[in-house]
């Protein structure tokens, strides 16, 4: 056996033919989304205003397995199956008895796991006759993924990009432009919502929530336009399960099953994608001791410090209210470099899983995250996105704990994306300018006063 890190690869025909829908196996069904405008449970018709019907069907489906369309699988073949890597170099560096595996989703053309859902969503939209898709993007990964997917299916793509990232990451914007998308810094003057925010705070750096509100307003004011979301919703989690399903096959090839599965948590899509196929075994009883860990930044710890309540998916209350862990939709996290983790809530599915103690959460600080990222890059040669580095930090912590306890653990984490567009953040870290940003309990309390009133 090689003493160096090594990839475990599947062949094209091993790309899963179905996604796994955890709604089939939840201990309790999800609580329904609530439309605060009608004062009633949100209906499929409500959702069909902004999403194509097949996506809405997936959103509410309780079928355990859902077929991946052949055309989507064909496009996946550009980069899938993605490699699973045994990080022996890192293990050696840590001098740990733990085995560390990671799935590299950074190999997708857009650089992150987001392409798994972007391709599927563009496909269903094309089939339904959509000619324009509007969306928001935080760090720019979702925007890049959707821009590429829309280009492949000949759909116009309009992207509202959170201003702090627009300024921090001009090259993400350039990539979206090359893919042919229209990109606006959010809050923008394109929409009523954006103009309102700017009127009260001209220097507002934006948030995912505001950008979502702008994209939804864009959809409602254009013909044949639909909205597309890169995280949070059930259908996005569904599409991402290809990560965990492939990883499971790859672990089987080397006769392994993880004791601990780790992924970072923004809205919850890469955590869902990696962990749900394993949590299925935990729910069904064959792996009762599996631990699944969602890693949050200390600037935005919704699972660890939020409340489980109905809240809007966006900043201005356009979307239905979902039952989830939230810091309040008006909570504005500080501008950390892991822009993709600055979302006020955790997806309803992840929230439910955590509520039922089928997964746990941990909080890590920005400095220790970059320290782990640099260690990882030196050992493995792969530069992670700052978001993914949250998972790396936790994997390293667990490996060191195993060392202390003198036991061998098998740890699997998701490397959700590469950090080639985040080099200015790395430069700042290396020159000692990265600060830890903790959330303010007072601001969360204030935001929680704005939770919608829901009586079902
Ligand atoms: C968007 C993003 C995240 C966070 O989003 P989730 O929906 O929680 O997965 C994490 N890592 C990368 C690389 C991302 O692009």
């Amino acid at each position: 056996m090689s003493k160096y890190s090594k990839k475990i690869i599947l062949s094209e025909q091993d790309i899963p033919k179905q996604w796994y829908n955890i709604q089939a196996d939840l201990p309790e069904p999800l609580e329904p989304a609530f439309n605060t405008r009608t004062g009633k449970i949100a209906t499929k018709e409500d959702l069909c205003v902004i999403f194509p019907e097949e996506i809405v069907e997936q959103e509410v489906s309780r079928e355990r397995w859902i077929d991946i369309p052949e055309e989507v699988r064909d496009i996946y073949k550009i980069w899938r199956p993605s490699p699973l890597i045994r990080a022996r170099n890192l293990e050696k560096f840590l001098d740990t008895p733990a085995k560390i595996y990671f799935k590299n989703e950074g190999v997708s053309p857009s650089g992150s796991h987001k392409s798994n859902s972007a391709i599927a969503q563009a496909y269903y939209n094309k089939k339904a006759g959509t000619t324009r898709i509007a969306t928001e993007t935080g760090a720019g990964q979702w925007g890049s993924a959707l821009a590429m997917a829309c280009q492949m299916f000949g759909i116009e793509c309009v992207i509202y990009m959170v201003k702090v990232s627009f300024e921090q990451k001009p090259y993400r914007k350039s990539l979206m432009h090359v893919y042919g998308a229209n990109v606006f810094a959010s809050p923008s003057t394109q929409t009523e919502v954006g103009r309102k925010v700017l009127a009260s705070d001209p220097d507002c750096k934006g948030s995912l929530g505001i950008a979502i509100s702008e994209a939804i307003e864009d959809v409602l004011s254009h013909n044949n336009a639909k909205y597309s979301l890169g995280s949070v919703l059930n259908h996005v989690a569904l599409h991402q399960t290809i990560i965990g399903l492939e990883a499971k096959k790859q672990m089987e090839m080397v006769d392994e099953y993880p004791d601990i599965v780790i992924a970072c948590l923004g809205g919850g899509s890469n955590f869902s994608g990696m962990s749900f196929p394993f949590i299925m075994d935990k729910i069904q009883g064959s792996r009762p001791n599996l631990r699944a860990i969602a890693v949050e930044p200390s600037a935005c710890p919704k699972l660890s410090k939020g409340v489980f309540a109905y809240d809007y998916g966006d900043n201005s209350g356009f979307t239905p209210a979902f039952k989830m862990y939230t810091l309040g939709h008006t909570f504005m996290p500080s501008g950390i470099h892991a822009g993709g983790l600055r979302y006020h809530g955790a997806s309803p599915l992840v929230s439910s899983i955590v509520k039922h103690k089928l997964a746990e959460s941990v909080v890590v600080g920005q400095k220790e995250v970059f320290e782990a990222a640099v260690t990882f890059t030196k050992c493995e040669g792969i530069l992670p996105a700052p978001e993914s580095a949250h998972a790396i930090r936790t994997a390293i912590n667990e490996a060191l704990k195993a060392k202390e306890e003198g036991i061998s653990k098998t740890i699997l984490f998701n490397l959700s994306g590469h950090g080639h567009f985040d080099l200015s953040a790395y430069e700042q870290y290396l020159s000692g300018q990265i600060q830890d940003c903790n959330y303010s309990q007072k601001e969360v309390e204030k935001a929680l006063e704005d939770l919608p009133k829901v009586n079902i």
Side-chain angles (χ1 to χ4, degrees):
M1 194 195 291
S2 167
K3 60 184 181 146
Y4 295 109
S5 292
K6 193 165 166 29
K7 68 181 184 302
I8 298 151
I9 43 176
L10 296 168
S11 64
E12 257 174 27
Q13 61 269 24
D14 294 323
I15 296 177
K17 295 197 164 68
Q18 294 176 313
W19 291 299
Y20 167 59
N21 180 12
I22 201 165
Q23 290 198 71
D25 292 318
L26 289 179
E28 273 182 294
L30 286 184
E31 291 181 70
F34 188 80
N35 184 336
T36 53
R37 246 160 263 164
T38 59
K40 295 195 178 104
I41 288 173
T43 60
K44 278 192 202 170
E45 289 69 36
D46 292 342
L47 291 173
C48 283
V49 176
I50 53 169
F51 295 112
E53 203 177 327
E54 275 187 90
I55 291 279
V56 174
E57 290 301 333
Q58 292 182 350
E59 189 61 22
V60 298
S61 169
R62 290 200 201 148
E63 291 288 318
R64 182 169 291 114
W65 299 102
I66 293 182
D67 288 343
I68 303 177
E70 212 36 58
E71 203 173 340
V72 171
R73 266 184 101 240
D74 276 343
I75 296 179
Y76 279 169
K77 285 176 190 164
I78 294 173
W79 75 96
R80 305 210 72 87
S82 71
L84 179 83
I85 295 171
R86 167 92 185 264
R88 279 186 178 272
N89 303 348
L90 179 63
E91 290 169 16
K92 235 181 300 168
F93 174 82
L94 299 172
D95 188 24
T96 173
K99 297 177 198 167
I100 305 175
Y101 291 86
F102 67 93
K103 183 81 167 150
N104 186 3
E105 290 296 308
V107 298
S108 86
S110 72
S112 81
H113 70 287
K114 299 263 179 10
S115 290
N116 298 329
S117 187
I119 297 294
Q121 293 192 48
Y123 167 84
Y124 290 116
N125 269 288
K126 184 69 182 181
K127 222 173 131 196
T130 304
T131 55
R132 174 187 176 101
I133 297 182
T135 194
E136 80 294 334
T137 193
Q141 288 109 326
W142 170 242
S144 314
L146 187 69
M148 176 195 143
C150 283
Q151 187 52 240
M152 292 201 150
F153 286 98
I155 302 170
E156 186 185 356
C157 186
V158 183
I159 296 166
Y160 293 90
M161 182 172 186
V162 178
K163 193 179 277 172
V164 60
S165 304
F166 192 88
E167 288 165 356
Q168 272 176 2
K169 299 193 179 184
Y171 298 122
R172 270 282 167 201
K173 173 184 62 189
S174 308
L175 180 61
M176 292 180 246
H177 282 156
V178 175
Y179 284 137
N182 252 323
V183 189
F184 300 107
S186 167
S188 79
T189 54
Q190 298 292 309
T191 66
E192 200 63 42
V193 175
R195 288 188 292 268
K196 234 195 221 154
V197 173
L198 288 173
S200 73
D201 180 7
D203 296 324
C204 177
K205 290 289 177 210
S207 71
L208 269 182
I210 296 173
I212 293 174
S213 308
E214 289 207 271
I216 292 181
E217 186 182 327
D218 184 296
V219 168
L220 299 178
S221 56
H222 289 86
N223 288 333
N224 294 328
K226 291 285 182 210
Y227 172 64
S228 186
L229 190 57
S231 184
V232 184
L233 297 181
N234 307 339
H235 65 272
V236 185
L238 173 78
H239 302 152
Q240 293 297 351
T241 57
I242 192 153
I243 302 172
L245 292 168
E246 280 182 8
K248 238 171 144 172
K249 287 194 194 182
Q250 286 160 310
M251 296 294 278
E252 265 167 35
M253 283 169 68
V254 288
D255 247 340
E256 292 272 19
Y257 193 95
D259 297 298
I260 307 175
V261 179
I262 300 168
C264 66
L265 186 107
S269 74
N270 92 93
F271 176 75
S272 305
M274 175 51 109
S275 71
F276 285 0
F278 293 98
I279 292 177
M280 172 178 82
D281 298 338
K282 189 177 171 78
I283 297 174
Q284 294 177 352
S286 63
R287 298 284 176 175
N289 298 326
L290 171 83
R291 289 176 65 204
I293 308 177
V295 190
E296 310 189 288
S298 56
C300 196
K302 48 261 176 176
L303 285 176
S304 309
K305 304 286 180 185
V307 298
F308 186 63
Y310 270 99
D311 198 7
Y312 296 114
D314 67 317
N315 195 258
S316 334
F318 263 119
T319 70
F322 303 98
K323 192 76 177 279
M324 58 184 179
Y325 283 99
T326 178
L327 296 167
H329 65 284
T330 53
F331 173 71
M332 196 76 69
S334 16
I336 52 169
H337 288 283
L341 307 185
R342 293 176 73 242
Y343 181 70
H344 64 271
S347 88
L349 282 174
V350 172
S351 293
S352 162
I353 290 291
V354 169
K355 186 88 186 147
H356 286 99
K357 305 212 176 337
L358 293 163
E360 57 198 278
S361 64
V362 295
V363 173
V364 293
Q366 190 164 232
K367 265 183 4 211
E368 54 176 340
V369 162
F370 274 94
E371 187 207 357
V374 169
T375 298
F376 179 79
T377 307
K378 284 178 174 162
C379 292
E380 300 299 326
I382 297 169
L383 182 87
E387 290 86 353
S388 319
H390 287 68
I392 297 173
R393 175 75 265 168
T394 304
I396 290 178
N397 290 350
E398 289 296 333
L400 292 176
K401 218 184 285 168
K403 177 178 170 179
E404 230 167 76
E405 294 166 357
I407 39 173
S408 171
K409 284 259 161 79
T410 302
I411 298 168
L412 168 64
F413 74 86
N414 191 37
L415 190 100
S416 50
H418 70 63
H420 294 177
F421 290 95
D422 302 278
L423 284 166
S424 65
Y426 278 94
E427 204 53 63
Q428 282 180 35
Y429 170 74
L430 293 175
S431 59
Q433 293 170 56
I434 291 276
Q435 306 293 328
D436 279 332
C437 307
N438 290 326
Y439 80 107
S440 137
Q441 178 64 37
K442 228 159 112 199
E443 276 172 38
V444 168
E445 276 163 22
K446 211 166 103 215
L448 291 178
E449 286 172 16
D450 298 330
L451 288 183
K453 307 268 173 294
V454 170
N455 24 34
I456 289 187

